[in-house]
Amino acid sequence: MQKYHDLGARQSNPNNVEQLIFRLLSKIASTYNLNEQVRQKFIRDQFTFVSKLLSYDAYSSSKDTLEIAARIKKKLVSQKKTDVALTFQELEAKFNKLKILKNHSALLEFFFAYYSEENKYELTSNKNSLNFCSQSFEPPMVNDTVKNDVIEKYSSTEKIHNLFKNDSNTDLLRNNQRLKPTFILNETYILRELIYAMQGVDGKLFQKDPKDMQSMVLKVEMERTVRMMVMRYLESGWFYTRLRRFLSTYNNNPSAGLVLQAFCAYVSAELKEYHRLLAVLESQLGDKDEGTDCSNITLRRLLVWLEQPLERLKFLNVVCDAVRDKKGGILLSILFTYSKYGDPNKAALVKSGLAKCAIPIRDMIIEWICDGQIRDIHEEFFVGFNNSIPNERLWHDKYNLRKSQIPSFINEDQAKKILIIGKSINFLRVICNEHKQIRALANIPEIESMLDQKSDSQFQELIDIAYADTSSYLIEILLKNYKLLDHFNSLRRYLLLGQGDFIRHLMDLMECELNKPAQDLMFPNLQRLLDKAITETNAQFEPSYIISRLDVRLLPPSPNDMGWDVFSLDYTMDGPLKTVFNSTIIQRYLRIFNFLWRVKRMEYITCSLWSSHKADVEKLRKMSEIYEIIHQSNIIRSEMIRLVQNLNFYIMFEVLEVSWKNLSEQLDNSKDMDDVISANEQFLDTIISQLLLDENSKEIAKELRTIFDLIVKMSELSEQFHKIALAEFDARKQFKEKFTEDLDEDQKTAMDNIERKRYHGEVKPKIRNAKNQLNILKNSFNEMVKNLLEALKNHPNDSLRFLSFRFNFNEYYY
């Protein structure tokens, strides 16, 4: 209205745009039979409307004039007004030559919209647009009022198809027709509706799609460029609705877990900032720029201002989709991955949320490494526990590492240390009855030190210090209070046959008992013999806490087993020692003992055989046919002794001693209980593999057991033949005593015949049988040794390959 009242001051400039508009409207009003008051009212209303159109951003179009003209001509041709289109083309050429007009394209756009044949204004620009809805109504009257604050009703004459037909002031209209009305949406109203839609709230222009109740749909027709801009805003409403639905699903849901709830709290905080921004924008709607009548907030400006918040909403939706139904360390790993995003703004957005979501895990770590407690009802922590596991398996099975829940910013080595710290605290408290607090935490590390460990080592230092303190204290308790090294040495001396005098004397005492079938053994007798062997050897000087643990164990017998096959020493463990020497470890020690016991028995058999027969060699030497067999058996026995001694030397010096040295070094360098357990297991693994007791050496172990069986058979055969030889010696001695000079020739002949008959009938078949058996045993032994050597030569273990050279150093077998 102010512009209308100021027209008088601008009469001096006939080319003024407002003056031209006024003249045009006056010409239009003259086509109606109106009195002066109504005519002035009509011009004033129409001038206000046109001024708004011209001042609106849509008319700052940068489109080419030719493009708009082409649209006008296309419109005229579509309405079958070819003559008008040609006239417009001529007028357009003159119009473009008017130098006083600076914005030709905007004026053409205005005329095209104002006098459109379809009664629809199409105002397009690359910046902004308006949309209009049409409906038919009666010619405007003077007393027509505005329907509401956002929809304004205007009218105009029929399109001016002969506009600017003459060079100067000619009639602007040739035909007068009744105007068709158009409703024009106020931009402020659109913006207010958009602000509601961006919060998922239904309005008059934008409402939720009934199909999914998330996306917003347009309820009015809009030009393409405007629609694309509006859809950009509506997209943010869709993002907002999805975030609200995500929060409604997981927020304040106890089953969601602490980390996910922390993430929901962070998303809620972001939405609050979004709400605050929209509230500020809504409060500024309708404000004008200083010095102008233009609105402070327009669609274009709003799009620029909301660009970054919309991107944040979009990225938050992407992150929410990624963490949906995730929890604990998995969720933190996803957030940590997104925090490395290439866009620094998006990376900062996720880092801020990651810092808040990591607090529950940080607190769990602090509580675990300080008190050994876990409060994790949702199983979010990467340290898991099972209360059903008994205390004796506390270290091995009660606590474990959930690798899938380890966050990406915590490496596996740190996770293992954290697990060991808490396990050590619980082990000291529950198993060792040590309730002393090892170290009090002075300061809780900042969450950033856990997330960015390259620039801040506070978290790493905390873990290292807690790990060193708890582990060293636990090992100190085991060494001092529970004599861990003493028990290692005891196992070496008794189960690994390191105490030679005790083992030899034990074999001497138990030989008679162990020569019985396994079913005839009496456990009390074996226990009594063990106690006797302890009191009669250096084992008696062992501390009581060592001797009291040494016991006898009988293995389940198999058919035809002798006492030697089922006898075993045992070493019982309890308390904290049972963690290091659990039942599985003790079984492996017993397995090694059984093998060493069998090898020691082979050495004992061969040496005892030689010592027991040595005294009778001279008197049996006179019986050539018997001594020949004895000599042959001595040769075979010597081969067996050499094989067993080489094997025993290899076991004691190349396997046990070397492995024990490595074990001692590892125990000295052990930093925690796991290192002690690992050193012991590695010690046993090395021995088992080098003693042919592992899965890769089954075939070779069978060959060796067959050789042991041949040694036992050789011992039995030698004992039997030795008895035959001694009986023959005694028989011949008796015959000589009876065969005296006092006998006559007939008696001598008769006695000689009886003696010959006895020898050829009883003794000679036994000698022949023994000789045959001895030859068979010798051939079998040589064949089995060759097979053993061949298998050892191809073994992957270097020590066992060298053992084959030791057995056959002089290439006797091949």
Side-chain angles (χ1 to χ4, degrees), residues 427-456:
F427 187 84
L428 287 167
R429 182 186 299 126
V430 177
I431 307 300
C432 302
N433 294 321
E434 293 286 337
H435 300 280
K436 173 186 173 182
Q437 186 173 8
I438 302 172
R439 182 183 180 87
L441 186 62
N443 297 315
I444 297 178
E446 296 294 334
I447 195 69
E448 287 76 13
S449 66
M450 183 173 68
L451 300 178
D452 188 9
Q453 299 184 30
K454 291 183 179 180
S455 59
D456 190 347

PDB file of all heavy atoms in Angstrom, residues 427-456:
ATOM      1  N   PHE A 427      41.300 -64.937  41.492  1.00  0.00           N
ATOM      2  CA  PHE A 427      42.056 -66.126  41.888  1.00  0.00           C
ATOM      3  C   PHE A 427      42.687 -65.932  43.266  1.00  0.00           C
ATOM      4  O   PHE A 427      42.650 -66.835  44.119  1.00  0.00           O
ATOM      5  CB  PHE A 427      43.139 -66.412  40.850  1.00  0.00           C
ATOM      6  CG  PHE A 427      43.869 -67.705  41.048  1.00  0.00           C
ATOM      7  CD1 PHE A 427      43.352 -68.890  40.563  1.00  0.00           C
ATOM      8  CD2 PHE A 427      45.069 -67.736  41.730  1.00  0.00           C
ATOM      9  CE1 PHE A 427      44.020 -70.086  40.744  1.00  0.00           C
ATOM     10  CE2 PHE A 427      45.751 -68.927  41.925  1.00  0.00           C
ATOM     11  CZ  PHE A 427      45.226 -70.104  41.431  1.00  0.00           C
ATOM     12  N   LEU A 428      43.264 -64.758  43.501  1.00  0.00           N
ATOM     13  CA  LEU A 428      43.854 -64.480  44.810  1.00  0.00           C
ATOM     14  C   LEU A 428      42.795 -64.478  45.900  1.00  0.00           C
ATOM     15  O   LEU A 428      43.013 -64.989  47.006  1.00  0.00           O
ATOM     16  CB  LEU A 428      44.567 -63.122  44.766  1.00  0.00           C
ATOM     17  CG  LEU A 428      45.889 -63.079  43.989  1.00  0.00           C
ATOM     18  CD1 LEU A 428      46.323 -61.648  43.754  1.00  0.00           C
ATOM     19  CD2 LEU A 428      46.965 -63.848  44.734  1.00  0.00           C
ATOM     20  N   ARG A 429      41.635 -63.923  45.586  1.00  0.00           N
ATOM     21  CA  ARG A 429      40.592 -63.796  46.601  1.00  0.00           C
ATOM     22  C   ARG A 429      39.913 -65.134  46.894  1.00  0.00           C
ATOM     23  O   ARG A 429      39.693 -65.482  48.062  1.00  0.00           O
ATOM     24  CB  ARG A 429      39.553 -62.773  46.131  1.00  0.00           C
ATOM     25  CG  ARG A 429      38.453 -62.515  47.131  1.00  0.00           C
ATOM     26  CD  ARG A 429      37.378 -61.606  46.564  1.00  0.00           C
ATOM     27  NE  ARG A 429      37.928 -60.312  46.207  1.00  0.00           N
ATOM     28  CZ  ARG A 429      37.811 -59.758  45.011  1.00  0.00           C
ATOM     29  NH1 ARG A 429      37.171 -60.396  44.050  1.00  0.00           N
ATOM     30  NH2 ARG A 429      38.324 -58.579  44.767  1.00  0.00           N
ATOM     31  N   VAL A 430      39.587 -65.890  45.859  1.00  0.00           N
ATOM     32  CA  VAL A 430      38.790 -67.108  46.043  1.00  0.00           C
ATOM     33  C   VAL A 430      39.666 -68.331  46.313  1.00  0.00           C
ATOM     34  O   VAL A 430      39.379 -69.130  47.219  1.00  0.00           O
ATOM     35  CB  VAL A 430      37.911 -67.349  44.781  1.00  0.00           C
ATOM     36  CG1 VAL A 430      37.133 -68.642  44.919  1.00  0.00           C
ATOM     37  CG2 VAL A 430      36.968 -66.174  44.567  1.00  0.00           C
ATOM     38  N   ILE A 431      40.732 -68.510  45.559  1.00  0.00           N
ATOM     39  CA  ILE A 431      41.547 -69.732  45.660  1.00  0.00           C
ATOM     40  C   ILE A 431      42.656 -69.578  46.690  1.00  0.00           C
ATOM     41  O   ILE A 431      42.910 -70.505  47.478  1.00  0.00           O
ATOM     42  CB  ILE A 431      42.138 -70.087  44.281  1.00  0.00           C
ATOM     43  CG1 ILE A 431      41.028 -70.163  43.227  1.00  0.00           C
ATOM     44  CG2 ILE A 431      42.889 -71.404  44.352  1.00  0.00           C
ATOM     45  CD1 ILE A 431      39.968 -71.185  43.503  1.00  0.00           C
ATOM     46  N   CYS A 432      43.319 -68.433  46.697  1.00  0.00           N
ATOM     47  CA  CYS A 432      44.451 -68.241  47.607  1.00  0.00           C
ATOM     48  C   CYS A 432      44.058 -67.581  48.926  1.00  0.00           C
ATOM     49  O   CYS A 432      44.927 -67.429  49.815  1.00  0.00           O
ATOM     50  CB  CYS A 432      45.533 -67.402  46.921  1.00  0.00           C
ATOM     51  SG  CYS A 432      46.166 -68.095  45.384  1.00  0.00           S
ATOM     52  N   ASN A 433      42.799 -67.170  49.045  1.00  0.00           N
ATOM     53  CA  ASN A 433      42.326 -66.499  50.270  1.00  0.00           C
ATOM     54  C   ASN A 433      43.144 -65.254  50.587  1.00  0.00           C
ATOM     55  O   ASN A 433      43.420 -64.938  51.758  1.00  0.00           O
ATOM     56  CB  ASN A 433      42.355 -67.469  51.462  1.00  0.00           C
ATOM     57  CG  ASN A 433      41.377 -68.604  51.298  1.00  0.00           C
ATOM     58  OD1 ASN A 433      40.264 -68.409  50.817  1.00  0.00           O
ATOM     59  ND2 ASN A 433      41.796 -69.813  51.686  1.00  0.00           N
ATOM     60  N   GLU A 434      43.551 -64.545  49.565  1.00  0.00           N
ATOM     61  CA  GLU A 434      44.282 -63.290  49.724  1.00  0.00           C
ATOM     62  C   GLU A 434      43.334 -62.143  49.376  1.00  0.00           C
ATOM     63  O   GLU A 434      42.937 -61.984  48.231  1.00  0.00           O
ATOM     64  CB  GLU A 434      45.508 -63.258  48.804  1.00  0.00           C
ATOM     65  CG  GLU A 434      46.578 -64.255  49.160  1.00  0.00           C
ATOM     66  CD  GLU A 434      47.350 -63.837  50.406  1.00  0.00           C
ATOM     67  OE1 GLU A 434      47.364 -62.620  50.707  1.00  0.00           O
ATOM     68  OE2 GLU A 434      47.918 -64.720  51.073  1.00  0.00           O
ATOM     69  N   HIS A 435      42.973 -61.352  50.367  1.00  0.00           N
ATOM     70  CA  HIS A 435      42.010 -60.264  50.182  1.00  0.00           C
ATOM     71  C   HIS A 435      42.664 -58.888  50.178  1.00  0.00           C
ATOM     72  O   HIS A 435      41.980 -57.874  50.247  1.00  0.00           O
ATOM     73  CB  HIS A 435      40.940 -60.312  51.266  1.00  0.00           C
ATOM     74  CG  HIS A 435      40.160 -61.595  51.260  1.00  0.00           C
ATOM     75  ND1 HIS A 435      39.118 -61.835  50.382  1.00  0.00           N
ATOM     76  CD2 HIS A 435      40.287 -62.724  52.012  1.00  0.00           C
ATOM     77  CE1 HIS A 435      38.630 -63.050  50.603  1.00  0.00           C
ATOM     78  NE2 HIS A 435      39.313 -63.609  51.583  1.00  0.00           N
ATOM     79  N   LYS A 436      43.952 -58.864  50.101  1.00  0.00           N
ATOM     80  CA  LYS A 436      44.671 -57.594  50.090  1.00  0.00           C
ATOM     81  C   LYS A 436      44.422 -56.859  48.774  1.00  0.00           C
ATOM     82  O   LYS A 436      44.489 -57.455  47.697  1.00  0.00           O
ATOM     83  CB  LYS A 436      46.169 -57.854  50.270  1.00  0.00           C
ATOM     84  CG  LYS A 436      47.030 -56.626  50.109  1.00  0.00           C
ATOM     85  CD  LYS A 436      48.508 -56.997  50.166  1.00  0.00           C
ATOM     86  CE  LYS A 436      49.389 -55.810  49.849  1.00  0.00           C
ATOM     87  NZ  LYS A 436      50.819 -56.159  49.854  1.00  0.00           N
ATOM     88  N   GLN A 437      44.122 -55.558  48.880  1.00  0.00           N
ATOM     89  CA  GLN A 437      43.948 -54.756  47.673  1.00  0.00           C
ATOM     90  C   GLN A 437      45.323 -54.429  47.109  1.00  0.00           C
ATOM     91  O   GLN A 437      46.172 -53.834  47.775  1.00  0.00           O
ATOM     92  CB  GLN A 437      43.183 -53.469  47.959  1.00  0.00           C
ATOM     93  CG  GLN A 437      42.858 -52.671  46.695  1.00  0.00           C
ATOM     94  CD  GLN A 437      41.952 -51.477  46.956  1.00  0.00           C
ATOM     95  OE1 GLN A 437      41.687 -51.174  48.111  1.00  0.00           O
ATOM     96  NE2 GLN A 437      41.499 -50.829  45.918  1.00  0.00           N
ATOM     97  N   ILE A 438      45.532 -54.842  45.883  1.00  0.00           N
ATOM     98  CA  ILE A 438      46.858 -54.726  45.291  1.00  0.00           C
ATOM     99  C   ILE A 438      47.194 -53.284  44.981  1.00  0.00           C
ATOM    100  O   ILE A 438      48.264 -52.782  45.297  1.00  0.00           O
ATOM    101  CB  ILE A 438      46.937 -55.587  44.015  1.00  0.00           C
ATOM    102  CG1 ILE A 438      46.623 -57.044  44.374  1.00  0.00           C
ATOM    103  CG2 ILE A 438      48.301 -55.480  43.361  1.00  0.00           C
ATOM    104  CD1 ILE A 438      46.492 -57.945  43.183  1.00  0.00           C
ATOM    105  N   ARG A 439      46.275 -52.584  44.337  1.00  0.00           N
ATOM    106  CA  ARG A 439      46.558 -51.212  43.926  1.00  0.00           C
ATOM    107  C   ARG A 439      45.252 -50.438  43.843  1.00  0.00           C
ATOM    108  O   ARG A 439      44.283 -50.916  43.274  1.00  0.00           O
ATOM    109  CB  ARG A 439      47.263 -51.197  42.568  1.00  0.00           C
ATOM    110  CG  ARG A 439      47.639 -49.807  42.079  1.00  0.00           C
ATOM    111  CD  ARG A 439      48.261 -49.875  40.688  1.00  0.00           C
ATOM    112  NE  ARG A 439      48.639 -48.577  40.196  1.00  0.00           N
ATOM    113  CZ  ARG A 439      49.796 -47.987  40.434  1.00  0.00           C
ATOM    114  NH1 ARG A 439      50.697 -48.631  41.160  1.00  0.00           N
ATOM    115  NH2 ARG A 439      50.091 -46.801  39.942  1.00  0.00           N
ATOM    116  N   ALA A 440      45.250 -49.264  44.430  1.00  0.00           N
ATOM    117  CA  ALA A 440      44.077 -48.381  44.355  1.00  0.00           C
ATOM    118  C   ALA A 440      44.240 -47.438  43.176  1.00  0.00           C
ATOM    119  O   ALA A 440      45.326 -46.891  42.946  1.00  0.00           O
ATOM    120  CB  ALA A 440      43.921 -47.595  45.649  1.00  0.00           C
ATOM    121  N   LEU A 441      43.156 -47.262  42.436  1.00  0.00           N
ATOM    122  CA  LEU A 441      43.190 -46.412  41.253  1.00  0.00           C
ATOM    123  C   LEU A 441      43.064 -44.956  41.686  1.00  0.00           C
ATOM    124  O   LEU A 441      42.073 -44.567  42.299  1.00  0.00           O
ATOM    125  CB  LEU A 441      42.065 -46.789  40.299  1.00  0.00           C
ATOM    126  CG  LEU A 441      42.052 -46.086  38.943  1.00  0.00           C
ATOM    127  CD1 LEU A 441      43.315 -46.419  38.160  1.00  0.00           C
ATOM    128  CD2 LEU A 441      40.819 -46.482  38.151  1.00  0.00           C
ATOM    129  N   ALA A 442      44.104 -44.170  41.377  1.00  0.00           N
ATOM    130  CA  ALA A 442      44.101 -42.763  41.782  1.00  0.00           C
ATOM    131  C   ALA A 442      43.165 -41.933  40.915  1.00  0.00           C
ATOM    132  O   ALA A 442      42.302 -41.206  41.415  1.00  0.00           O
ATOM    133  CB  ALA A 442      45.528 -42.204  41.725  1.00  0.00           C
ATOM    134  N   ASN A 443      43.322 -42.041  39.608  1.00  0.00           N
ATOM    135  CA  ASN A 443      42.523 -41.242  38.682  1.00  0.00           C
ATOM    136  C   ASN A 443      41.937 -42.132  37.598  1.00  0.00           C
ATOM    137  O   ASN A 443      42.640 -42.996  37.057  1.00  0.00           O
ATOM    138  CB  ASN A 443      43.386 -40.151  38.033  1.00  0.00           C
ATOM    139  CG  ASN A 443      43.913 -39.155  39.058  1.00  0.00           C
ATOM    140  OD1 ASN A 443      43.176 -38.702  39.920  1.00  0.00           O
ATOM    141  ND2 ASN A 443      45.198 -38.829  38.963  1.00  0.00           N
ATOM    142  N   ILE A 444      40.670 -41.914  37.315  1.00  0.00           N
ATOM    143  CA  ILE A 444      40.034 -42.639  36.215  1.00  0.00           C
ATOM    144  C   ILE A 444      40.466 -42.001  34.905  1.00  0.00           C
ATOM    145  O   ILE A 444      40.384 -40.774  34.748  1.00  0.00           O
ATOM    146  CB  ILE A 444      38.501 -42.598  36.352  1.00  0.00           C
ATOM    147  CG1 ILE A 444      38.071 -43.301  37.642  1.00  0.00           C
ATOM    148  CG2 ILE A 444      37.837 -43.250  35.145  1.00  0.00           C
ATOM    149  CD1 ILE A 444      36.582 -43.263  37.878  1.00  0.00           C
ATOM    150  N   PRO A 445      40.962 -42.776  33.983  1.00  0.00           N
ATOM    151  CA  PRO A 445      41.441 -42.190  32.723  1.00  0.00           C
ATOM    152  C   PRO A 445      40.309 -41.560  31.927  1.00  0.00           C
ATOM    153  O   PRO A 445      39.160 -41.998  31.985  1.00  0.00           O
ATOM    154  CB  PRO A 445      42.051 -43.390  31.984  1.00  0.00           C
ATOM    155  CG  PRO A 445      41.348 -44.570  32.545  1.00  0.00           C
ATOM    156  CD  PRO A 445      41.074 -44.237  33.985  1.00  0.00           C
ATOM    157  N   GLU A 446      40.651 -40.516  31.204  1.00  0.00           N
ATOM    158  CA  GLU A 446      39.676 -39.883  30.334  1.00  0.00           C
ATOM    159  C   GLU A 446      39.262 -40.844  29.226  1.00  0.00           C
ATOM    160  O   GLU A 446      40.034 -41.683  28.780  1.00  0.00           O
ATOM    161  CB  GLU A 446      40.258 -38.603  29.725  1.00  0.00           C
ATOM    162  CG  GLU A 446      40.591 -37.519  30.738  1.00  0.00           C
ATOM    163  CD  GLU A 446      39.347 -36.969  31.418  1.00  0.00           C
ATOM    164  OE1 GLU A 446      38.264 -37.045  30.794  1.00  0.00           O
ATOM    165  OE2 GLU A 446      39.450 -36.475  32.549  1.00  0.00           O
ATOM    166  N   ILE A 447      38.015 -40.670  28.800  1.00  0.00           N
ATOM    167  CA  ILE A 447      37.504 -41.572  27.770  1.00  0.00           C
ATOM    168  C   ILE A 447      38.264 -41.401  26.464  1.00  0.00           C
ATOM    169  O   ILE A 447      38.428 -42.346  25.686  1.00  0.00           O
ATOM    170  CB  ILE A 447      35.984 -41.332  27.569  1.00  0.00           C
ATOM    171  CG1 ILE A 447      35.351 -42.490  26.779  1.00  0.00           C
ATOM    172  CG2 ILE A 447      35.748 -40.002  26.874  1.00  0.00           C
ATOM    173  CD1 ILE A 447      35.304 -43.776  27.543  1.00  0.00           C
ATOM    174  N   GLU A 448      38.790 -40.186  26.222  1.00  0.00           N
ATOM    175  CA  GLU A 448      39.539 -39.956  24.986  1.00  0.00           C
ATOM    176  C   GLU A 448      40.826 -40.760  24.951  1.00  0.00           C
ATOM    177  O   GLU A 448      41.305 -41.126  23.876  1.00  0.00           O
ATOM    178  CB  GLU A 448      39.850 -38.456  24.832  1.00  0.00           C
ATOM    179  CG  GLU A 448      38.643 -37.599  24.463  1.00  0.00           C
ATOM    180  CD  GLU A 448      37.719 -37.359  25.642  1.00  0.00           C
ATOM    181  OE1 GLU A 448      38.142 -37.648  26.792  1.00  0.00           O
ATOM    182  OE2 GLU A 448      36.578 -36.893  25.422  1.00  0.00           O
ATOM    183  N   SER A 449      41.424 -41.031  26.123  1.00  0.00           N
ATOM    184  CA  SER A 449      42.662 -41.811  26.144  1.00  0.00           C
ATOM    185  C   SER A 449      42.425 -43.252  25.727  1.00  0.00           C
ATOM    186  O   SER A 449      43.349 -43.925  25.274  1.00  0.00           O
ATOM    187  CB  SER A 449      43.265 -41.776  27.549  1.00  0.00           C
ATOM    188  OG  SER A 449      42.426 -42.456  28.479  1.00  0.00           O
ATOM    189  N   MET A 450      41.205 -43.728  25.874  1.00  0.00           N
ATOM    190  CA  MET A 450      40.876 -45.078  25.428  1.00  0.00           C
ATOM    191  C   MET A 450      40.541 -45.101  23.944  1.00  0.00           C
ATOM    192  O   MET A 450      40.846 -46.082  23.250  1.00  0.00           O
ATOM    193  CB  MET A 450      39.702 -45.633  26.250  1.00  0.00           C
ATOM    194  CG  MET A 450      39.316 -47.065  25.911  1.00  0.00           C
ATOM    195  SD  MET A 450      38.068 -47.752  27.020  1.00  0.00           S
ATOM    196  CE  MET A 450      36.645 -46.750  26.566  1.00  0.00           C
ATOM    197  N   LEU A 451      39.937 -44.019  23.452  1.00  0.00           N
ATOM    198  CA  LEU A 451      39.513 -43.986  22.053  1.00  0.00           C
ATOM    199  C   LEU A 451      40.648 -43.592  21.120  1.00  0.00           C
ATOM    200  O   LEU A 451      40.684 -44.035  19.968  1.00  0.00           O
ATOM    201  CB  LEU A 451      38.338 -43.008  21.889  1.00  0.00           C
ATOM    202  CG  LEU A 451      37.088 -43.325  22.704  1.00  0.00           C
ATOM    203  CD1 LEU A 451      36.033 -42.257  22.481  1.00  0.00           C
ATOM    204  CD2 LEU A 451      36.528 -44.690  22.353  1.00  0.00           C
ATOM    205  N   ASP A 452      41.538 -42.747  21.595  1.00  0.00           N
ATOM    206  CA  ASP A 452      42.645 -42.271  20.757  1.00  0.00           C
ATOM    207  C   ASP A 452      43.954 -42.542  21.496  1.00  0.00           C
ATOM    208  O   ASP A 452      44.555 -41.645  22.086  1.00  0.00           O
ATOM    209  CB  ASP A 452      42.470 -40.785  20.454  1.00  0.00           C
ATOM    210  CG  ASP A 452      43.478 -40.296  19.426  1.00  0.00           C
ATOM    211  OD1 ASP A 452      44.177 -41.141  18.840  1.00  0.00           O
ATOM    212  OD2 ASP A 452      43.579 -39.080  19.217  1.00  0.00           O
ATOM    213  N   GLN A 453      44.408 -43.776  21.461  1.00  0.00           N
ATOM    214  CA  GLN A 453      45.578 -44.175  22.226  1.00  0.00           C
ATOM    215  C   GLN A 453      46.880 -43.743  21.563  1.00  0.00           C
ATOM    216  O   GLN A 453      47.943 -43.799  22.200  1.00  0.00           O
ATOM    217  CB  GLN A 453      45.569 -45.699  22.428  1.00  0.00           C
ATOM    218  CG  GLN A 453      44.355 -46.184  23.193  1.00  0.00           C
ATOM    219  CD  GLN A 453      44.396 -47.668  23.463  1.00  0.00           C
ATOM    220  OE1 GLN A 453      45.453 -48.260  23.608  1.00  0.00           O
ATOM    221  NE2 GLN A 453      43.225 -48.297  23.524  1.00  0.00           N
ATOM    222  N   LYS A 454      46.834 -43.337  20.301  1.00  0.00           N
ATOM    223  CA  LYS A 454      48.054 -42.879  19.650  1.00  0.00           C
ATOM    224  C   LYS A 454      48.514 -41.542  20.213  1.00  0.00           C
ATOM    225  O   LYS A 454      49.717 -41.290  20.324  1.00  0.00           O
ATOM    226  CB  LYS A 454      47.820 -42.763  18.143  1.00  0.00           C
ATOM    227  CG  LYS A 454      47.635 -44.105  17.453  1.00  0.00           C
ATOM    228  CD  LYS A 454      47.481 -43.924  15.953  1.00  0.00           C
ATOM    229  CE  LYS A 454      47.328 -45.274  15.257  1.00  0.00           C
ATOM    230  NZ  LYS A 454      47.170 -45.116  13.786  1.00  0.00           N
ATOM    231  N   SER A 455      47.582 -40.688  20.561  1.00  0.00           N
ATOM    232  CA  SER A 455      47.928 -39.371  21.079  1.00  0.00           C
ATOM    233  C   SER A 455      47.889 -39.289  22.599  1.00  0.00           C
ATOM    234  O   SER A 455      48.415 -38.347  23.184  1.00  0.00           O
ATOM    235  CB  SER A 455      46.971 -38.318  20.498  1.00  0.00           C
ATOM    236  OG  SER A 455      45.626 -38.630  20.840  1.00  0.00           O
ATOM    237  N   ASP A 456      47.286 -40.275  23.264  1.00  0.00           N
ATOM    238  CA  ASP A 456      47.178 -40.262  24.718  1.00  0.00           C
ATOM    239  C   ASP A 456      47.417 -41.677  25.228  1.00  0.00           C
ATOM    240  O   ASP A 456      46.650 -42.594  24.926  1.00  0.00           O
ATOM    241  CB  ASP A 456      45.798 -39.753  25.145  1.00  0.00           C
ATOM    242  CG  ASP A 456      45.720 -39.481  26.641  1.00  0.00           C
ATOM    243  OD1 ASP A 456      46.636 -39.912  27.371  1.00  0.00           O
ATOM    244  OD2 ASP A 456      44.752 -38.826  27.078  1.00  0.00           O
TER     245      ASP A 456
END
